[in-house]
């Protein structure tokens, strides 16, 4: 028999503090459960038990409290975020068929001990805990797996008698004697005053027990002061031993057959994990297609998977549910859900593409799929247009829950309370396709309930087509110039390396923080901040503070900048150039929580623009022969959105009168006429303006603009006093978010903020910053998306050859034939400035040039 006994409180506590706070979209905390279940699964795999018990403490006095009223006094209570997870975890374990054991008046440790001594010859008990108290239970039949958490990862160390002897120099039973002398501050066990772990260890290693010590107290070869302490605290020592001794006789069920995993309710476990948004855990514990006996299955029958040679063999309804599979942009197979079955067709004939094109171009059929963007790309490459109403479950899932990491149909179906269909074969594509219809019905109901169908169909769905077009078109680059610039940078980097070595007096790895710290702070004796276990900090903040006074530090910073430009941008961009000479960045629609589009492979939104060296990179992004690039950038769009949302009269007037908002702000904050505002005042006012948008505090503002915290605090208060509409908005948006649990943009995009209810002050402050910022940043992101769609559709409607090729935050880039330049300049400016109607004017600065550098600058 192999018994696994888990100290539930201890392991849950480890998991909770070892993982950052995680929540579901409706605000339930899950990090403790998530971490516990991962540890639990690993223990099951490692120990391979045939019996399992999970012990928990009961919130009630124990026999130890009756013995000593100060037992565990002063221990902090369980935080609310952890407390709410405890009953959910117990319910989940029960659904999985595992025995939860708890007994009023007794601690989980006593349950561990009582079960461990039930082992007979040939049996073995594994005790999983984070509490070293349990080491006293180690025996020939019992191993303690001691859990510890480092860097968010929980590891277990196996303790047998030999391991305890090696580490402590005592036997497992003598661990109790150690506690009798040294006490335990975490449990408020007094021990002997003035005796610590080292002295306690020496005494027990030499004399074996406190009984021997006190029976021979006058004959012991110890210092008089220690003898005096022992004598004075004899009663405390014996009390401490009693308190620290784990009972082996807790009144619990000791019939080992009671701890064999029961049938439980796998369907309920699946639904609970789905509601907690732990979909990977459903797979980990091999759940998913389970149902309660009383629960009706999705289709009433097992969904059959059928393989067909051609798409014409499938009878499609007016609404078709399908998922394509791609390789290198080609649809290699496609699965449809029709007539209660999943039909899978491989692309193994020349008519496959024409059959698929016919289905996609049938405007009478509604198309519901998963991840529509690559299908648009497939269609673009073949001159096919996808017609009719199009719905994408991935995009809908993202709108409803932007914090999720996976929007597969099977996962989304479970998230919204649906049960997975049973399949006649283990096939993820088939399972997702079979789940698509029911998942879509549930998600669409949620979109309607939230008032988000306009966001879905007027912004996100048409945007997918625009992004696809941009990816297919790509951005032309001058590869030869990138190569030449990379060589120049390499020469400069090598020169910097030699100069750094000369000043250091030795060669070392400049990229190694440890070696750099040693050279700067030990060899050269530069002033350093406190040294940590990993060495001296050499991050940018530390080095920037030292750079004005120490040339070697200035060179290191320059080296880092140029080395990153060389490796990340020059070398990195060269690898991404396609055979057509263009970079086809992937534009991600469902990644950010604010609704912003992100760019990867490569990230063209991350091209540095503030440094002169970084700006050079934009020279290598060019228009093709006979074309120009048109660059259009919204002017201060987030501040304009803030003015509208806050309905602040002064901000609205400044923008609508085309005044300089930063000068106006400086005039208000510093209480002086506009004409008296200095460049420094304007710079500081600009920092306040943009800082307010991001919920900046006085500490951060002071650091950004180089003033005292008191000055920064005065600037912020002055700003909010003069822009009272903004101040009212900041307060109201947080109050509303606490009531609703989310904030939203002007177009209905939501972000859920469970952090606002956290007992942790730092998390609450983070939630408040997001509550202030997200409606502004998210609305600006929605507006740029609307502008992209309108620019794309208008150029198409006017039969222009110009193509939208990139979006970078508030900036759009179009590649247009030279003879279309003036028309496209006009179109882009008009559509961007009229993307939506607000109480403030939207302004776009539009320029053209042969390169991104020329068009931008």
């Amino acid at each position: 028999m192999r018994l696994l006994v888990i100290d539930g409180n201890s392991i849950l506590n480890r998991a909770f503090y070892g993982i950052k706070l995680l929540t579901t979209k409706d605000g339930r905390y899950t990090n403790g459960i998530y971490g516990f279940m991962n540890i639990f699964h690993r223990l099951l795999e490692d120990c391979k038990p045939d019996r399992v018990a999970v012990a928990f403490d009961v919130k009630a006095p124990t026999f130890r409290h009756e013995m000593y009223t100060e037992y565990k006094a002063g221990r902090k209570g369980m935080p609310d975020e952890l407390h709410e997870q405890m009953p959910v975890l117990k319910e989940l374990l029960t659904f999985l068929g595992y025995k939860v054991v708890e007994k009023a008046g007794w601690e989980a440790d006593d349950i561990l001990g009582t079960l461990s001594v039930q082992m007979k010859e040939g049996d073995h008990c594994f005790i999983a805990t984070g509490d070293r108290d349990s080491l006293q239970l180690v025996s020939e039949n019992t191993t303690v797996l001691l859990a510890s958490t480092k860097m968010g990862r929980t590891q277990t160390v196996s303790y047998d008698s030999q391991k305890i002897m090696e580490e402590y120099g005592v036997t497992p039973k003598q661990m109790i004697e150690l506690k009798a002398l040294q006490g335990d501050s975490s449990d408020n066990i007094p021990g002997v005053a003035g005796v610590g772990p080292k002295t306690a260890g020496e005494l027990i290693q030499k004399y074996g027990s406190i009984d021997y010590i006190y029976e021979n107290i006058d004959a012991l070869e110890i210092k008089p002061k220690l003898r005096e302490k022992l004598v004075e605290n004899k009663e405390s020592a014996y009390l401490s031993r009693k308190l620290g001794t784990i009972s082996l006789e807790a009144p619990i069920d000791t019939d080992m057959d009671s701890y064999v995993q029961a049938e439980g309710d796998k369907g309920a476990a699946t639904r609970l994990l789905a509601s907690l948004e732990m979909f990977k855990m459903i797979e980990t514990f091999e759940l998913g297609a389970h149902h309660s006996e009383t629960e009706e299955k999705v289709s009433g029958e097992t969904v059959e998977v059928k393989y067909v040679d051609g798409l014409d063999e499938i009878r499609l309804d007016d609404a078709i549910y399908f998922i394509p599979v791609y390789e290198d942009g080609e649809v290699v197979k496609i699965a449809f859900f029709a007539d209660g079955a999943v039909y899978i067709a491989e692309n193994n004939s020349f008519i496959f593409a024409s059959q698929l094109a016919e289905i996609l171009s049938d405007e009478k059929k509604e198309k519901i799929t998963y991840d529509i963007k690559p299908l648009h790309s497939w269609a673009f490459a073949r001159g096919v247009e996808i017609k009719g109403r199009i719905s994408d479950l991935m995009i809908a899932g993202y709108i409803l829950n932007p914090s999720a990491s996976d929007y597969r149909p099977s996962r989304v179906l479970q998230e919204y309370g649906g049960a997975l269909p049973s399949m006649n074969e283990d096939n993820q594509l088939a399972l997702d396709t079979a789940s698509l219809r029911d998942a879509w019905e549930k998600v669409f109901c949620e979109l309607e309930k939230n008032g988000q169908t306009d966001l879905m169909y007027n912004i996100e769905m048409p945007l997918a087509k625009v992004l696809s077009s941009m990816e297919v078109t790509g951005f032309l680059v001058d590869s030869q110039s990138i190569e030449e610039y990379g060589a120049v940078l390499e020469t400069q980097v090598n020169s910097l390396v030699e100069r750094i070595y000369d000043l250091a007096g030795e060669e070392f790895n400049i990229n190694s923080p440890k070696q750099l710290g040693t050279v700067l702070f030990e060899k050269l004796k530069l002033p350093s901040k406190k040294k940590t276990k990993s060495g001296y900090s050499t991050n940018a903040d530390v080095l920037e503070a030292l750079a004005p006074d120490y040339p070697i530090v200035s060179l290191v910073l320059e080296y880092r900048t140029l080395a990153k430009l060389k490796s990340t941008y020059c070398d990195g961009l060269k690898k991404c150039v396609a055979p057509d000479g263009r970079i086809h960045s992937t534009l991600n629609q469902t990644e950010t929580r604010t609704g912003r589009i992100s760019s990867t492979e490569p990230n063209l939104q991350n091209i540095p623009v503030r440094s002169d060296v970084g700006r050079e990179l934009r020279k290598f992004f060019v228009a093709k022969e006979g074309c120009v690039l048109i660059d259009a950038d919204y002017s201060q769009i987030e501040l304009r959105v803030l003015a509208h949302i806050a309905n602040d009269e002064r901000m609205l007037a400044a923008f609508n009168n085309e005044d300089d908002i930063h000068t106006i702000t400086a005039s208000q904050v510093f209480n002086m006429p506009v004409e008296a505002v200095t460049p420094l005042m304007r710079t500081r006012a600009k920092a306040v303006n943009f800082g307010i948008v991001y919920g900046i505090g006085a500490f951060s503002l002071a650091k950004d603009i180089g003033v005292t915290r008191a000055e920064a605090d005065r600037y912020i208060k002055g700003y909010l006093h003069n822009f009272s509409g903004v101040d009212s908005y900041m307060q109201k948006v947080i109050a509303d978010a606490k009531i609703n649990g989310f904030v939203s943009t002007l177009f209905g995009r939501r972000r859920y903020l469970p952090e606002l209810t956290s007992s942790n002050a730092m998390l609450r402050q983070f939630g408040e910053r997001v509550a202030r910022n997200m409606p502004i940043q998210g609305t600006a992101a929605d507006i740029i998306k609307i502008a992209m769609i309108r620019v794309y559709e208008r150029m198409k409607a006017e039969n222009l050859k110009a193509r939208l090729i990139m979006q970078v935050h508030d900036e759009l880039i179009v590649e247009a034939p030279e003879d279309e330049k003036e028309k496209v300049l006009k179109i882009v400016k008009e559509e961007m400035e009229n993307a939506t109607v607000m109480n403030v004017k939207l302004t776009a600065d539009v320029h053209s040039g042969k390169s991104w550098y020329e068009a931008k600058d």
Side-chain angles (χ1 to χ4, degrees):
M1 181 179 71
R2 294 170 70 86
L3 172 68
L4 171 63
V5 188
I6 297 176
D7 184 342
N9 288 78
S10 176
I11 297 299
L12 179 61
N13 208 55
R14 288 273 175 189
F16 177 80
Y17 287 106
I19 301 174
K20 68 176 183 178
L21 279 179
L22 302 174
T23 64
T24 60
K25 63 178 180 297
D26 58 1
R28 287 173 292 154
Y29 291 96
T30 60
N31 59 316
I33 299 171
Y34 177 78
F36 181 99
M37 295 306 292
N38 274 322
I39 296 168
F40 183 40
H41 184 260
R42 194 159 61 244
L43 289 169
L44 292 175
E45 288 197 324
D46 292 346
C47 300
K48 295 181 172 48
D50 46 43
R51 287 160 177 79
V52 176
V54 186
F56 287 96
D57 293 330
V58 175
K59 191 176 181 181
T62 68
F63 68 89
R64 293 181 180 84
H65 292 90
E66 296 174 6
M67 192 184 302
Y68 181 55
T69 56
E70 295 301 304
Y71 180 63
K72 291 192 176 181
R75 179 177 283 196
K76 283 186 179 180
M78 186 182 293
D80 292 341
E81 294 89 342
L82 174 57
H83 187 266
E84 73 174 52
Q85 297 182 61
M86 183 77 76
V88 181
L89 174 61
K90 293 177 184 177
E91 184 179 41
L92 176 58
L93 290 168
T94 303
F95 285 153
L96 290 170
Y98 295 105
K99 187 77 171 284
V100 170
V101 191
E102 47 195 2
K103 191 70 177 178
W106 302 79
E107 295 182 56
D109 284 350
D110 302 318
I111 295 171
L112 307 182
T114 302
L115 291 175
S116 71
V117 296
Q118 307 306 314
M119 298 299 98
K120 299 175 182 174
E121 188 176 350
D123 295 341
H124 203 88
C125 176
F126 299 92
I127 295 175
T129 181
D131 189 347
R132 291 181 179 268
D133 288 350
S134 294
L135 294 180
Q136 63 184 267
L137 300 174
V138 167
S139 69
E140 187 178 331
N141 300 94
T142 300
T143 300
V144 169
L145 304 173
L146 194 66
S148 61
T149 304
K150 292 181 181 179
M151 304 296 288
R153 294 181 63 86
T154 300
Q155 298 176 324
T156 56
V157 177
S158 179
Y159 278 82
D160 57 12
S161 298
Q162 184 179 345
K163 172 75 173 173
I164 292 174
M165 181 59 72
E166 289 173 359
E167 191 164 322
Y168 294 96
V170 298
T171 66
K173 295 299 181 189
Q174 287 176 326
M175 294 295 294
I176 307 170
E177 308 295 329
L178 289 179
K179 182 160 288 193
L181 294 176
Q182 70 189 43
D184 184 344
S185 59
S186 66
D187 288 340
N188 202 36
I189 295 176
V192 173
V195 173
K198 182 180 179 182
T199 302
E202 291 171 350
L203 287 170
I204 299 304
Q205 287 167 22
K206 189 171 183 179
Y207 299 115
S209 70
I210 64 171
D211 288 337
Y212 183 90
I213 290 171
Y214 283 107
E215 286 168 6
N216 301 278
I217 190 69
D218 294 327
L220 299 180
E221 297 178 2
I222 58 175
K223 292 179 180 179
K225 281 191 175 181
L226 176 58
R227 181 179 287 106
E228 185 180 332
K229 290 176 183 177
L230 288 168
V231 171
E232 287 179 358
N233 292 274
K234 179 178 179 180
E235 186 178 336
S236 178
Y238 276 98
L239 172 64
S240 297
R241 186 167 71 174
K242 285 182 181 178
L243 292 172
T245 301
I246 293 175
S247 173
L248 308 179
E249 298 178 348
I252 60 170
D253 185 355
T254 56
D255 179 357
M256 289 296 103
D257 289 342
S258 301
Y259 299 100
V260 175
Q261 184 183 6
E263 179 62 29
D265 188 338
K266 301 300 189 292
T270 301
R271 292 192 300 277
L272 179 54
L273 285 170
S275 76
L276 296 173
E277 298 170 16
M278 296 184 190
F279 304 103
K280 275 285 184 190
M281 205 65 70
I282 294 172
E283 297 174 16
T284 298
F285 281 86
E286 298 180 356
L287 303 169
H290 296 280
H291 310 269
S292 301
E293 290 182 8
T294 58
E295 181 184 8
E296 184 181 351
K297 294 182 181 179
V298 170
S299 63
E301 299 281 342
T302 296
V303 174
E304 187 178 357
V305 181
K306 300 180 179 180
Y307 294 88
V308 294
D309 293 326
L311 302 183
D312 56 346
E313 296 181 37
I314 308 168
R315 190 179 68 82
L316 299 174
D317 295 327
D318 290 338
I320 57 174
Y321 300 86
F322 65 101
I323 300 177
V325 177
Y326 308 91
E327 283 183 15
D328 298 325
E330 182 59 73
V331 177
V332 294
K333 71 170 71 169
I334 191 165
F336 288 86
F337 181 70
D339 290 332
V342 172
Y343 294 85
I344 298 178
E346 302 271 355
N347 183 359
N348 52 16
S349 72
F350 69 92
I351 62 169
F352 179 92
S354 62
Q355 290 175 339
L356 179 55
E358 184 179 349
I359 293 170
L360 297 178
S361 60
D362 186 345
E363 60 186 2
K364 294 180 181 178
K365 293 190 181 299
E366 180 181 3
K367 298 151 191 78
I368 301 98
T369 188
Y370 169 79
D371 194 7
I372 189 69
K373 181 159 65 76
L375 190 61
H376 277 303
S377 299
W378 181 90
F380 278 130
R382 288 156 183 79
V384 175
E385 184 174 359
I386 305 175
K387 297 180 180 178
R389 183 179 169 100
I390 307 166
S391 302
D392 184 340
L393 183 74
M394 183 178 80
I395 291 174
Y398 168 69
I399 290 172
L400 292 174
N401 183 9
S403 299
S405 58
D406 190 344
Y407 300 101
R408 285 179 300 155
S410 55
R411 180 170 263 191
V412 170
L413 177 59
Q414 292 172 312
E415 182 176 350
Y416 293 94
L420 290 179
S422 298
M423 310 298 296
N424 67 330
E425 62 176 69
D426 186 14
N427 183 320
Q428 185 64 53
L429 173 62
L431 178 62
D432 282 329
T433 307
S435 303
L436 184 57
R437 183 192 63 191
D438 286 4
W440 173 247
E441 289 175 358
K442 290 180 178 296
V443 161
F444 186 73
C445 286
E446 289 293 314
L447 289 173
E448 287 191 312
K449 187 170 72 175
N450 292 352
Q452 293 177 310
T453 53
D454 282 348
L455 176 61
M456 172 77 177
Y457 288 109
N458 294 338
I459 298 180
E460 294 296 347
M461 288 310 304
L463 179 69
K465 184 176 183 178
V466 176
L467 295 180
S468 169
S469 172
M470 292 164 66
E471 289 180 359
V472 169
T473 304
F475 205 147
L476 185 64
V477 292
D478 183 345
S479 296
Q480 184 176 342
S481 293
I482 293 177
E483 185 93 33
E484 292 169 357
Y485 184 53
V488 170
L489 286 177
E490 185 170 11
T491 300
Q492 293 176 346
V493 166
N494 291 337
S495 174
L496 285 169
V497 168
E498 292 303 318
R499 292 166 66 190
I500 291 168
Y501 289 166
D502 286 344
L503 291 173
E506 65 175 89
E507 294 186 7
F508 65 98
N509 184 355
I510 303 171
N511 296 317
S512 166
K514 187 173 182 179
Q515 291 186 36
L516 178 62
T518 300
V519 168
L520 295 180
F521 304 119
E522 292 186 3
K523 181 178 181 181
L524 300 180
K525 307 297 184 184
L526 272 61
S528 68
K529 294 189 175 181
K530 186 177 178 181
K531 187 178 181 182
T532 65
K533 289 182 179 179
S534 58
Y536 297 96
S537 173
T538 59
N539 63 28
D541 287 346
V542 171
L543 297 189
E544 284 168 5
L546 295 170
D549 301 317
Y550 300 96
I552 189 173
V553 178
S554 179
L555 292 175
V556 168
L557 286 172
E558 188 178 356
Y559 164 83
R560 284 182 177 179
T561 298
L562 296 186
K564 183 175 181 180
L565 281 172
K566 169 72 169 60
S567 63
T568 303
Y569 298 107
C570 290
D571 298 344
L573 288 174
K574 280 193 301 181
K575 295 175 185 176
C576 296
V577 179
D580 62 0
R582 305 176 82 93
I583 287 178
H584 300 267
S585 177
T586 299
L587 299 169
N588 305 300
Q589 194 173 355
T590 59
E591 287 203 355
T592 68
R593 294 187 179 188
T594 59
R596 277 192 165 188
I597 299 163
S598 66
S599 165
T600 53
E601 298 177 343
N603 181 2
L604 294 186
Q605 294 182 339
N606 205 30
I607 297 291
V609 295
R610 294 183 180 178
S611 67
D612 291 336
V613 180
R615 279 193 287 269
E616 286 291 309
L617 291 171
R618 294 207 305 271
K619 292 181 178 179
F620 310 132
F621 291 84
V622 297
K624 68 181 180 182
E625 190 69 30
C627 290
V628 295
L629 295 180
I630 292 167
D631 184 285
D633 199 349
Y634 273 122
S635 173
Q636 301 164 335
I637 186 170
E638 290 187 352
L639 289 177
R640 292 171 190 267
V641 169
L642 172 60
H644 172 81
I645 291 178
N647 197 28
D648 187 284
E649 292 182 4
R650 283 181 170 169
M651 286 191 82
L652 290 171
F655 280 123
N656 289 331
N657 292 334
E658 298 185 358
D659 295 329
D660 177 65
I661 187 64
H662 303 312
T663 301
I664 295 296
T665 300
S667 171
Q668 297 290 337
V669 170
F670 296 108
N671 192 27
M672 58 178 53
V674 169
E675 55 272 15
V677 171
T678 66
L680 178 60
M681 289 177 181
R682 184 185 182 279
T683 298
R684 290 180 174 176
K686 182 178 180 179
V688 176
N689 266 327
F690 287 114
I692 289 292
V693 171
Y694 288 89
I696 200 168
F699 179 81
S700 297
L701 180 62
K703 188 176 177 183
D704 288 349
I705 62 177
V707 299
T708 66
R709 187 170 181 175
E711 282 181 282
D713 185 59
R714 191 164 64 248
Y715 294 163
I716 292 173
K717 287 177 179 175
Y719 179 99
L720 295 174
H721 173 73
N722 285 283
F723 295 99
S724 57
V726 174
D727 189 24
S728 297
Y729 160 74
M730 295 298 184
Q731 296 178 41
K732 185 176 186 302
V733 74
I734 293 171
D736 289 348
K738 287 179 178 177
I739 294 170
N740 299 325
F742 63 86
V743 288
S744 60
T745 69
L746 291 179
F747 301 92
R749 188 183 306 280
R750 294 182 179 184
R751 178 164 178 180
Y752 293 89
L753 292 172
E755 295 90 349
L756 291 173
T757 62
S758 173
S759 62
N760 183 300
M762 290 185 66
L763 274 177
R764 285 198 309 275
Q765 290 166 8
F766 168 77
E768 289 175 2
R769 288 196 298 271
V770 174
R772 290 192 291 261
N773 167 250
M774 188 274 174
I776 301 164
Q777 192 180 82
T779 295
D782 288 338
I783 290 171
I784 193 76
K785 287 179 176 181
I786 293 168
M788 292 168 71
I789 295 163
R790 292 191 176 182
V791 168
Y792 173 87
E793 291 181 343
R794 186 164 166 193
M795 291 192 305
K796 181 181 176 183
E798 297 189 20
N799 294 316
L800 299 178
K801 294 178 181 177
R803 292 290 181 267
L804 189 58
I805 59 172
M806 183 47 59
Q807 180 263 349
V808 181
H809 305 312
D810 307 327
E811 177 183 0
L812 297 184
I813 303 170
V814 176
E815 184 177 52
E818 290 179 349
D819 61 357
E820 293 181 358
K821 184 180 81 169
E822 295 304 322
K823 183 176 282 191
V824 174
L825 282 166
K826 181 172 180 290
I827 288 173
V828 173
K829 186 173 179 65
E830 286 180 357
E831 297 303 335
M832 288 182 71
E833 293 184 344
N834 293 286
T836 191
V837 177
M838 296 195 298
N839 296 331
V840 64
K841 296 177 183 177
L842 287 177
T843 302
D845 299 319
V846 186
H847 305 282
S848 65
K850 294 296 291 183
S851 69
W852 189 5
Y853 179 89
E854 289 181 13
K856 179 75 174 173
D857 297 295

